[in-house]
Amino acid sequence: MFALKILLMVAGVLLLATAVGIPFYELWMRIRALLKKQNGNSSLMGPKLVEPALEPMQWRLPVVLALTGCLPMLIAASIVVVPSGMGGVRVSQIAGTLPGTLYPGVHWVAPLVQSVKIFDLRDHLFTAGITDEGGKDSKQKSALDVQSREGLNIALAVTVRYHLDPRRLDHVEEHLPQPVDKELVPPVVASAWRELTPGYTVQEIFSSKREEVRAKAAATITRKLGADGIVVDEVMLRNIQLPDEYAKGLEGLLLKEQENDQMGVATEIQQKQVKIAELQAEAEAVQKVKQSEGEAQSRVVEAKGEADAMQYTLPLKQKQIEQSKLEAEARKEATIQNAQAEAEAKVIDSKAELERRNLLADAEANRVRLMAAADGERMKSEAALLNQSPLLINKIIAERLSDKIQVMMVPSDGKFFFANDVFKAAAANPALKHEMEGEDVAPAPQAGAH
């Protein structure tokens, strides 16, 4: 339908342009013809000819085209398209605002007499305070300043969500200032909050009666705006900014109240623990009484059973005593026999131990004699060796003095030993011998091979 309206407008404009263009075209053609005639007469320089009278201009066709062009334009002007989410109201130049709402779609109006005022029927937001919380491009609007019962100034961040009542758009257009969201809603919201908050303290507004204050403000705003055809969907109290000094004092008070609540909870827990301990003690006492009564009853029953059983137990006990005596005599005889057997066994064991010790003593004496003979032979051989090679004494002493001394023994008559000449020279030269002794090198013994 919107395309049809545009086509009608284009057609009307083209017809009007044609109607206006035809007279201008005829006028141009006549002016051109007159100019040609004047140029032709001036070139001939003869007597002037009598000019024929000009024919009158034809106005009938332009008028018809103009009237025809007005018709589609009037039809296009009578078509009104209301977009989605919008609503319209007819405004007459004669009767003023007409009742009724034009909902989204195509509507017909009287052209040149009636017009349509479009209103947005979707939800609107009125915000006092920060509009974009937490964003980088957040815009700061002036907060709603109110006073409490104590006379302290409080800054409120309020958001009101509302929309226009589609059934009362004629009332909104006829009686309310335009635009409504800027001219009417802000003062109504501000007045509602400022009339309500002086009846509450700062602490009540901030914590204890915050929801109550918001609900009353929402009811007042809804009632005032609803009378003018504005439906309030929700009133939100987003934030409350307290005075700095009062905020610090309130923070301290809240901390104390929190501590008091914690102490109250701890006291209740302790009282419950005491009550539980008392109940447990009572339960234990009752349980002990029940146990005592049960034990007493069981003892009574046992005593009765024992008394009844004694009648049959005494003869049996006498027989058991006689049997015990017989068993004791048998154990006594068995003990005497066992003692005699153990004594005989101990005598045999002592004799065997004595023989074993004698054999060990003889074996040790033989070992000592053999070791002494071996040591004597070894000492004789060492004495003979020392008599033959007295330098072995120096080697033994050097090895006993320190484990870091290294002693090397070489044959004195070795023909192919590279150090033989060195040792011989050392033996011939006392200075060189002293230097070698300083380097912890022992001279070779003069025995055959060492």
Side-chain angles (χ1 to χ4, degrees):
M1 188 60 69
F2 187 73
L4 177 61
K5 181 177 180 179
I6 292 176
L7 290 175
L8 290 173
M9 292 293 294
V10 170
V13 170
L14 290 176
L15 289 173
L16 288 176
T18 303
V20 173
I22 289 174
F24 280 102
Y25 179 74
E26 289 185 358
L27 180 62
W28 165 249
M29 293 300 293
R30 291 190 177 197
I31 294 171
R32 187 177 178 183
L34 290 174
L35 292 174
K36 285 183 178 181
K37 288 180 179 181
Q38 290 178 0
N39 292 331
N41 292 332
S42 61
S43 62
L44 294 175
M45 293 185 180
K48 295 183 179 179
L49 301 176
V50 178
E51 296 180 359
L54 295 175
E55 295 182 359
M57 294 182 63
Q58 300 294 327
W59 294 100
R60 185 176 180 180
L61 181 60
V63 171
V64 172
L65 291 176
L67 293 176
T68 307
C70 291
L71 182 61
M73 294 184 68
L74 290 175
I75 296 173
S78 65
I79 299 174
V80 176
V81 179
V82 179
S84 177
M86 302 292 181
V89 176
R90 291 185 179 93
V91 179
S92 175
Q93 301 296 328
I94 300 172
T97 303
L98 299 179
T101 301
L102 302 180
Y103 293 97
V106 179
H107 303 276
W108 298 90
V109 296
L112 304 178
V113 178
Q114 295 179 354
S115 61
V116 176
K117 182 66 177 295
I118 302 297
F119 293 92
D120 191 355
L121 299 180
R122 292 170 293 189
D123 286 350
H124 298 263
L125 291 178
F126 166 73
T127 301
I130 299 175
T131 57
D132 234 355
E133 293 183 353
K136 295 182 179 179
D137 300 331
S138 59
K139 298 179 180 178
Q140 179 71 29
K141 288 188 177 181
S142 59
L144 185 60
D145 294 330
V146 297
Q147 286 187 347
S148 64
R149 183 186 298 174
E150 303 94 330
L152 296 175
N153 291 326
I154 306 172
L156 302 180
V158 180
T159 298
V160 180
R161 185 168 63 90
Y162 64 94
H163 67 274
L164 299 178
D165 189 356
R167 296 171 297 179
R168 302 188 63 188
L169 291 182
D170 51 352
H171 174 80
V172 173
E173 166 61 23
E174 189 173 4
H175 297 91
L176 300 183
Q178 302 298 326
V180 177
D181 53 352
K182 294 182 179 179
E183 298 294 335
L184 181 63
V185 175
V188 171
V189 173
S191 64
W193 283 100
R194 286 168 182 163
E195 290 174 3
L196 181 64
T197 53
Y200 295 90
T201 62
V202 176
Q203 186 175 3
E204 290 175 346
I205 296 173
F206 184 74
S207 59
S208 61
K209 296 184 179 181
R210 181 171 182 169
E211 181 59 27
E212 179 183 344
V213 174
R214 188 205 64 79
K216 288 185 177 181
T220 303
I221 295 170
T222 303
R223 176 175 52 81
K224 289 184 176 181
L225 293 179
D228 292 325
I230 300 174
V231 180
V232 177
D233 298 319
E234 186 178 6
V235 177
M236 293 171 280
L237 179 58
R238 295 183 292 108
N239 192 14
I240 300 175
Q241 185 176 359
L242 302 176
D244 295 337
E245 296 180 357
Y246 186 86
K248 293 179 181 178
L250 181 61
E251 185 178 358
L253 180 61
L254 292 175
L255 291 175
K256 291 181 180 180
E257 290 181 355
Q258 186 177 5
E259 292 177 357
N260 187 18
D261 294 340
Q262 291 178 355
M263 293 179 64
V265 172
T267 303
E268 291 179 0
I269 293 173
Q270 291 178 356
Q271 291 177 355
K272 290 180 181 179
Q273 290 177 351
V274 171
K275 187 65 176 179
I276 292 171
E278 292 177 355
L279 294 175
Q280 289 178 352
E282 292 178 358
E284 290 178 357
V286 172
Q287 186 177 3
K288 288 181 180 179
V289 171
K290 295 294 183 181
Q291 290 178 355
S292 301
E293 291 178 356
E295 291 177 357
Q297 291 178 359
S298 63
R299 288 178 182 176
V300 170
V301 173
E302 290 177 357
K304 289 181 180 180
E306 290 178 357
D308 295 337
M310 288 296 290
Q311 298 177 1
Y312 305 98
T313 305
L314 290 175
L316 182 60
K317 290 290 184 181
Q318 291 177 357
K319 293 181 180 180
Q320 289 178 353
I321 291 170
E322 292 177 356
Q323 184 178 359
S324 300
K325 290 180 179 179
L326 295 174
E327 290 178 355
E329 291 178 357
R331 283 197 297 270
K332 183 178 180 180
E333 292 178 357
T335 303
I336 293 171
Q337 291 178 359
N338 291 333
Q340 291 176 356
E342 288 178 358
E344 291 176 356
K346 287 182 179 180
V347 170
I348 294 170
D349 290 339
S350 60
K351 289 180 179 179
E353 181 67 19
L354 180 61
E355 291 178 357
R356 184 179 69 82
R357 290 180 178 178
N358 291 331
L359 292 174
L360 290 174
D362 294 338
E364 182 68 19
N366 292 330
R367 186 182 69 80
V368 170
R369 286 194 296 271
L370 292 174
M371 291 294 293
D375 289 340
E377 291 178 358
R378 181 177 60 81
M379 292 178 70
K380 288 178 181 180
S381 62
E382 288 179 355
L385 183 59
L386 290 174
N387 289 328
Q388 294 176 0
S389 301
L391 292 176
L392 288 174
I393 297 173
N394 296 333
K395 174 181 177 296
I396 294 170
I397 292 173
E399 290 177 349
R400 297 290 178 87
L401 287 176
S402 175
D403 55 351
K404 296 181 179 180
I405 297 175
Q406 296 180 357
V407 179
M408 182 174 60
M409 298 180 64
V410 297
S412 60
D413 55 352
K415 295 180 180 180
F416 301 101
F417 189 67
F418 71 94
N420 189 22
D421 298 334
V422 177
F423 286 118
K424 289 180 178 180
N429 190 354
L432 183 59
K433 180 180 181 181
H434 179 68
E435 183 178 356
M436 292 178 65
E437 288 178 355
E439 293 178 356
D440 296 333
V441 178
Q446 297 300 320
H450 301 286

